[in-house]
PDB file of all heavy atoms in Angstrom:
ATOM      1  N   ASP A 903    -162.752 133.348  19.993  1.00 97.00           N
ATOM      2  CA  ASP A 903    -162.933 131.914  20.322  1.00 97.00           C
ATOM      3  C   ASP A 903    -164.151 131.335  19.616  1.00 97.00           C
ATOM      4  O   ASP A 903    -164.630 130.251  19.973  1.00 97.00           O
ATOM      5  CB  ASP A 903    -163.112 131.729  21.838  1.00 97.00           C
ATOM      6  CG  ASP A 903    -161.827 132.012  22.600  1.00 97.00           C
ATOM      7  OD1 ASP A 903    -160.750 131.743  22.035  1.00 97.00           O
ATOM      8  OD2 ASP A 903    -161.912 132.520  23.732  1.00 97.00           O
ATOM      9  N   THR A 904    -164.672 132.053  18.618  1.00 97.00           N
ATOM     10  CA  THR A 904    -165.856 131.570  17.907  1.00 97.00           C
ATOM     11  C   THR A 904    -165.614 130.202  17.268  1.00 97.00           C
ATOM     12  O   THR A 904    -166.550 129.424  17.061  1.00 97.00           O
ATOM     13  CB  THR A 904    -166.293 132.630  16.862  1.00 97.00           C
ATOM     14  OG1 THR A 904    -166.617 133.834  17.581  1.00 97.00           O
ATOM     15  CG2 THR A 904    -167.492 132.208  16.060  1.00 97.00           C
ATOM     16  N   ASP A 905    -164.341 129.882  16.995  1.00 97.00           N
ATOM     17  CA  ASP A 905    -164.029 128.569  16.402  1.00 97.00           C
ATOM     18  C   ASP A 905    -164.473 127.411  17.305  1.00 97.00           C
ATOM     19  O   ASP A 905    -164.795 126.329  16.826  1.00 97.00           O
ATOM     20  CB  ASP A 905    -162.536 128.445  16.059  1.00 97.00           C
ATOM     21  CG  ASP A 905    -161.640 128.660  17.268  1.00 97.00           C
ATOM     22  OD1 ASP A 905    -161.944 129.542  18.093  1.00 97.00           O
ATOM     23  OD2 ASP A 905    -160.635 127.945  17.401  1.00 97.00           O
ATOM     24  N   LYS A 906    -164.519 127.644  18.641  1.00 97.00           N
ATOM     25  CA  LYS A 906    -164.938 126.565  19.555  1.00 97.00           C
ATOM     26  C   LYS A 906    -166.389 126.164  19.281  1.00 97.00           C
ATOM     27  O   LYS A 906    -166.735 124.985  19.296  1.00 97.00           O
ATOM     28  CB  LYS A 906    -164.797 127.027  21.011  1.00 97.00           C
ATOM     29  CG  LYS A 906    -163.342 127.186  21.441  1.00 97.00           C
ATOM     30  CD  LYS A 906    -163.230 127.716  22.858  1.00 97.00           C
ATOM     31  CE  LYS A 906    -161.749 127.856  23.248  1.00 97.00           C
ATOM     32  NZ  LYS A 906    -161.583 128.744  24.405  1.00 97.00           N
ATOM     33  N   SER A 907    -167.246 127.175  19.054  1.00 97.00           N
ATOM     34  CA  SER A 907    -168.651 126.878  18.731  1.00 97.00           C
ATOM     35  C   SER A 907    -168.738 126.146  17.395  1.00 97.00           C
ATOM     36  O   SER A 907    -169.452 125.150  17.260  1.00 97.00           O
ATOM     37  CB  SER A 907    -169.487 128.158  18.598  1.00 97.00           C
ATOM     38  OG  SER A 907    -169.081 129.127  19.497  1.00 97.00           O
ATOM     39  N   LEU A 908    -168.003 126.664  16.417  1.00 98.00           N
ATOM     40  CA  LEU A 908    -168.103 126.082  15.072  1.00 98.00           C
ATOM     41  C   LEU A 908    -167.616 124.640  15.042  1.00 98.00           C
ATOM     42  O   LEU A 908    -168.191 123.812  14.341  1.00 98.00           O
ATOM     43  CB  LEU A 908    -167.322 126.927  14.065  1.00 98.00           C
ATOM     44  CG  LEU A 908    -168.048 128.181  13.582  1.00 98.00           C
ATOM     45  CD1 LEU A 908    -167.197 128.942  12.596  1.00 98.00           C
ATOM     46  CD2 LEU A 908    -169.375 127.839  12.920  1.00 98.00           C
ATOM     47  N   ARG A 909    -166.569 124.361  15.812  1.00 98.00           N
ATOM     48  CA  ARG A 909    -166.032 122.987  15.820  1.00 98.00           C
ATOM     49  C   ARG A 909    -167.135 122.006  16.235  1.00 98.00           C
ATOM     50  O   ARG A 909    -167.362 120.981  15.584  1.00 98.00           O
ATOM     51  CB  ARG A 909    -164.834 122.888  16.762  1.00 98.00           C
ATOM     52  CG  ARG A 909    -164.175 121.506  16.752  1.00 98.00           C
ATOM     53  CD  ARG A 909    -163.009 121.394  17.728  1.00 98.00           C
ATOM     54  NE  ARG A 909    -162.065 122.486  17.541  1.00 98.00           N
ATOM     55  CZ  ARG A 909    -161.701 123.341  18.507  1.00 98.00           C
ATOM     56  NH1 ARG A 909    -162.197 123.230  19.726  1.00 98.00           N
ATOM     57  NH2 ARG A 909    -160.845 124.298  18.255  1.00 98.00           N
ATOM     58  N   LEU A 910    -167.872 122.362  17.306  1.00 98.00           N
ATOM     59  CA  LEU A 910    -168.937 121.465  17.799  1.00 98.00           C
ATOM     60  C   LEU A 910    -170.084 121.354  16.796  1.00 98.00           C
ATOM     61  O   LEU A 910    -170.599 120.267  16.526  1.00 98.00           O
ATOM     62  CB  LEU A 910    -169.480 121.982  19.130  1.00 98.00           C
ATOM     63  CG  LEU A 910    -168.585 121.762  20.349  1.00 98.00           C
ATOM     64  CD1 LEU A 910    -169.152 122.482  21.567  1.00 98.00           C
ATOM     65  CD2 LEU A 910    -168.468 120.263  20.652  1.00 98.00           C
ATOM     66  N   ILE A 911    -170.469 122.494  16.241  1.00 98.00           N
ATOM     67  CA  ILE A 911    -171.578 122.500  15.279  1.00 98.00           C
ATOM     68  C   ILE A 911    -171.256 121.588  14.099  1.00 98.00           C
ATOM     69  O   ILE A 911    -172.072 120.772  13.661  1.00 98.00           O
ATOM     70  CB  ILE A 911    -171.861 123.941  14.801  1.00 98.00           C
ATOM     71  CG1 ILE A 911    -172.413 124.782  15.962  1.00 98.00           C
ATOM     72  CG2 ILE A 911    -172.824 123.955  13.623  1.00 98.00           C
ATOM     73  CD1 ILE A 911    -172.425 126.295  15.690  1.00 98.00           C
ATOM     74  N   ARG A 912    -170.032 121.701  13.593  1.00 98.00           N
ATOM     75  CA  ARG A 912    -169.642 120.899  12.419  1.00 98.00           C
ATOM     76  C   ARG A 912    -169.489 119.423  12.776  1.00 98.00           C
ATOM     77  O   ARG A 912    -169.751 118.555  11.936  1.00 98.00           O
ATOM     78  CB  ARG A 912    -168.336 121.413  11.815  1.00 98.00           C
ATOM     79  CG  ARG A 912    -168.400 122.835  11.276  1.00 98.00           C
ATOM     80  CD  ARG A 912    -169.530 123.076  10.306  1.00 98.00           C
ATOM     81  NE  ARG A 912    -169.323 124.324   9.582  1.00 98.00           N
ATOM     82  CZ  ARG A 912    -170.277 125.102   9.124  1.00 98.00           C
ATOM     83  NH1 ARG A 912    -171.545 124.789   9.306  1.00 98.00           N
ATOM     84  NH2 ARG A 912    -169.996 126.209   8.466  1.00 98.00           N
ATOM     85  N   GLN A 913    -169.085 119.132  14.007  1.00 98.00           N
ATOM     86  CA  GLN A 913    -168.962 117.717  14.409  1.00 98.00           C
ATOM     87  C   GLN A 913    -170.314 117.015  14.297  1.00 98.00           C
ATOM     88  O   GLN A 913    -170.381 115.816  14.090  1.00 98.00           O
ATOM     89  CB  GLN A 913    -168.452 117.611  15.849  1.00 98.00           C
ATOM     90  CG  GLN A 913    -166.940 117.693  15.956  1.00 98.00           C
ATOM     91  CD  GLN A 913    -166.460 117.846  17.399  1.00 98.00           C
ATOM     92  OE1 GLN A 913    -167.233 117.727  18.350  1.00 98.00           O
ATOM     93  NE2 GLN A 913    -165.175 118.117  17.565  1.00 98.00           N
ATOM     94  N   HIS A 914    -171.398 117.786  14.450  1.00 98.00           N
ATOM     95  CA  HIS A 914    -172.730 117.192  14.363  1.00 98.00           C
ATOM     96  C   HIS A 914    -173.365 117.405  12.987  1.00 98.00           C
ATOM     97  O   HIS A 914    -174.555 117.152  12.814  1.00 98.00           O
ATOM     98  CB  HIS A 914    -173.623 117.751  15.484  1.00 98.00           C
ATOM     99  CG  HIS A 914    -173.163 117.302  16.842  1.00 98.00           C
ATOM    100  ND1 HIS A 914    -172.214 117.998  17.573  1.00 98.00           N
ATOM    101  CD2 HIS A 914    -173.474 116.206  17.563  1.00 98.00           C
ATOM    102  CE1 HIS A 914    -171.985 117.341  18.704  1.00 98.00           C
ATOM    103  NE2 HIS A 914    -172.729 116.267  18.727  1.00 98.00           N
ATOM    104  N   GLY A 915    -172.558 117.873  12.025  1.00 97.00           N
ATOM    105  CA  GLY A 915    -173.036 117.987  10.636  1.00 97.00           C
ATOM    106  C   GLY A 915    -174.105 119.043  10.430  1.00 97.00           C
ATOM    107  O   GLY A 915    -174.899 118.959   9.495  1.00 97.00           O
ATOM    108  N   LEU A 916    -174.125 120.074  11.307  1.00 98.00           N
ATOM    109  CA  LEU A 916    -175.165 121.100  11.222  1.00 98.00           C
ATOM    110  C   LEU A 916    -174.616 122.373  10.566  1.00 98.00           C
ATOM    111  O   LEU A 916    -173.408 122.588  10.516  1.00 98.00           O
ATOM    112  CB  LEU A 916    -175.689 121.424  12.627  1.00 98.00           C
ATOM    113  CG  LEU A 916    -176.325 120.238  13.378  1.00 98.00           C
ATOM    114  CD1 LEU A 916    -176.503 120.575  14.857  1.00 98.00           C
ATOM    115  CD2 LEU A 916    -177.659 119.841  12.755  1.00 98.00           C
ATOM    116  N   SER A 917    -175.526 123.219  10.094  1.00 98.00           N
ATOM    117  CA  SER A 917    -175.130 124.517   9.551  1.00 98.00           C
ATOM    118  C   SER A 917    -174.965 125.508  10.705  1.00 98.00           C
ATOM    119  O   SER A 917    -175.431 125.254  11.819  1.00 98.00           O
ATOM    120  CB  SER A 917    -176.182 125.006   8.556  1.00 98.00           C
ATOM    121  OG  SER A 917    -176.170 124.178   7.401  1.00 98.00           O
ATOM    122  N   ALA A 918    -174.308 126.629  10.431  1.00 98.00           N
ATOM    123  CA  ALA A 918    -174.041 127.626  11.483  1.00 98.00           C
ATOM    124  C   ALA A 918    -174.601 128.976  11.063  1.00 98.00           C
ATOM    125  O   ALA A 918    -174.572 129.326   9.884  1.00 98.00           O
ATOM    126  CB  ALA A 918    -172.538 127.743  11.724  1.00 98.00           C
ATOM    127  N   ALA A 919    -175.105 129.741  12.054  1.00 98.00           N
ATOM    128  CA  ALA A 919    -175.554 131.119  11.820  1.00 98.00           C
ATOM    129  C   ALA A 919    -174.693 132.020  12.701  1.00 98.00           C
ATOM    130  O   ALA A 919    -174.845 132.034  13.925  1.00 98.00           O
ATOM    131  CB  ALA A 919    -177.028 131.268  12.172  1.00 98.00           C
ATOM    132  N   ILE A 920    -173.757 132.736  12.075  1.00 98.00           N
ATOM    133  CA  ILE A 920    -172.838 133.594  12.835  1.00 98.00           C
ATOM    134  C   ILE A 920    -173.495 134.965  12.983  1.00 98.00           C
ATOM    135  O   ILE A 920    -173.689 135.682  11.999  1.00 98.00           O
ATOM    136  CB  ILE A 920    -171.477 133.691  12.119  1.00 98.00           C
ATOM    137  CG1 ILE A 920    -170.864 132.294  11.980  1.00 98.00           C
ATOM    138  CG2 ILE A 920    -170.528 134.623  12.872  1.00 98.00           C
ATOM    139  CD1 ILE A 920    -169.582 132.238  11.164  1.00 98.00           C
ATOM    140  N   PHE A 921    -173.877 135.298  14.233  1.00 98.00           N
ATOM    141  CA  PHE A 921    -174.623 136.532  14.484  1.00 98.00           C
ATOM    142  C   PHE A 921    -173.672 137.647  14.920  1.00 98.00           C
ATOM    143  O   PHE A 921    -172.852 137.469  15.822  1.00 98.00           O
ATOM    144  CB  PHE A 921    -175.674 136.299  15.578  1.00 98.00           C
ATOM    145  CG  PHE A 921    -176.524 137.510  15.855  1.00 98.00           C
ATOM    146  CD1 PHE A 921    -177.504 137.902  14.953  1.00 98.00           C
ATOM    147  CD2 PHE A 921    -176.334 138.275  16.996  1.00 98.00           C
ATOM    148  CE1 PHE A 921    -178.290 139.034  15.191  1.00 98.00           C
ATOM    149  CE2 PHE A 921    -177.105 139.404  17.241  1.00 98.00           C
ATOM    150  CZ  PHE A 921    -178.092 139.784  16.335  1.00 98.00           C
TER     151      PHE A 921
END
Side-chain angles (χ1 to χ4, degrees):
D903 290 328
T904 299
D905 57 321
K906 291 177 180 162
S907 324
L908 280 180
R909 184 182 309 123
L910 285 172
I911 293 167
R912 297 307 195 210
Q913 276 169 9
H914 293 88
L916 299 166
S917 292
I920 300 174
F921 182 74

